[in-house]
Amino acid sequence: MDCTDVEEGYKVRYTPLVPGDYFIAVKYNGFHIVGSPFRVPCTGELLASKGVTETSSVMVETVTKVSKKSSHVSLPVFKSDASKVTSKGMGLKKAYMNKQNTFSISASDAGANLLFVAVYGPKGPCEEVFVKHLGHNSYQVNYAVRDRGDYVIIVKWGEDHIPGSPFKVEV
């Protein structure tokens, strides 16, 4: 097994010695990434004796990467006021496991900017957060949680938190 630094991230190579199902766990900060562990069915010649159980692991200390491409994208300068953004909905107070939880955001009086929404729970970031622009700087946010516990919902209009953010939500 080896790991190589590539422009998009990291490339890990391994050679299975016996045909069968292999499980590959990929973790970040000690938590499985979405989909991990991955089941990989392997076929081919028998290169070692069956019955021996082996595990291999590689740990990569990540570093901040800088693109080799010279094109730099700069954001426009926005004039807005996050304090004028309003939010409402049950999904900001209480959430239910394995159901769509919803809330709305209105930034119609806040000027132009970018909306950022994050839902973070006891086991890390929420796997599914959907933000739908409804027009006129109004948005609907849907998210699903899979674990019980306390969650934090962060809503920013540009660089600034909207009133009430971060929101504490019980599941």
Side-chain angles (χ1 to χ4, degrees):
M1 177 187 291
D2 66 24
C3 182
T4 308
D5 185 14
V6 295
E7 188 172 339
E8 303 85 27
Y10 299 92
K11 176 171 72 173
V12 177
R13 295 186 304 180
Y14 62 97
T15 304
L17 301 176
V18 177
D21 288 340
Y22 287 75
F23 292 91
I24 300 171
V26 180
K27 294 182 177 183
Y28 182 79
N29 278 347
F31 295 102
H32 284 278
I33 67 167
V34 176
S36 175
F38 301 94
R39 184 177 76 78
V40 180
C42 295
T43 59
E45 293 182 35
L46 187 70
L47 301 174
S49 59
K50 284 188 175 184
V52 177
T53 302
E54 285 190 22
T55 60
S56 298
S57 65
V58 61
M59 180 179 226
V60 178
E61 293 293 330
T62 59
V63 294
T64 303
K65 294 187 171 205
V66 179
S67 176
K68 295 176 184 164
K69 297 176 183 173
S70 62
S71 62
H72 176 71
V73 177
S74 59
L75 292 174
V77 176
F78 295 109
K79 293 188 182 205
S80 65
D81 184 356
S83 70
K84 293 183 178 177
V85 177
T86 60
S87 59
K88 65 181 179 181
M90 191 62 173
L92 290 172
K93 298 174 183 86
K94 182 148 181 72
Y96 297 93
M97 287 181 14
N98 302 314
K99 296 194 187 270
Q100 286 293 314
N101 299 285
T102 304
F103 63 94
S104 62
I105 298 168
S106 176
S108 57
D109 297 329
N113 215 321
L114 301 173
L115 176 67
F116 297 93
V117 179
V119 181
Y120 194 86
K123 294 187 177 178
C126 183
E127 290 181 16
E128 294 180 359
V129 179
F130 299 100
V131 179
K132 182 172 183 174
H133 185 233
L134 303 173
H136 306 291
N137 282 349
S138 292
Y139 302 85
Q140 180 175 322
V141 179
N142 295 311
Y143 64 96
V145 294
R146 295 193 177 145
D147 300 301
R148 292 192 191 284
D150 290 332
Y151 282 74
V152 175
I153 298 176
I154 297 168
V155 181
K156 288 186 170 186
W157 188 243
E159 299 288 324
D160 302 315
H161 285 275
I162 71 166
S165 176
F167 300 90
K168 183 181 175 190
V169 178
E170 283 183 25
V171 176

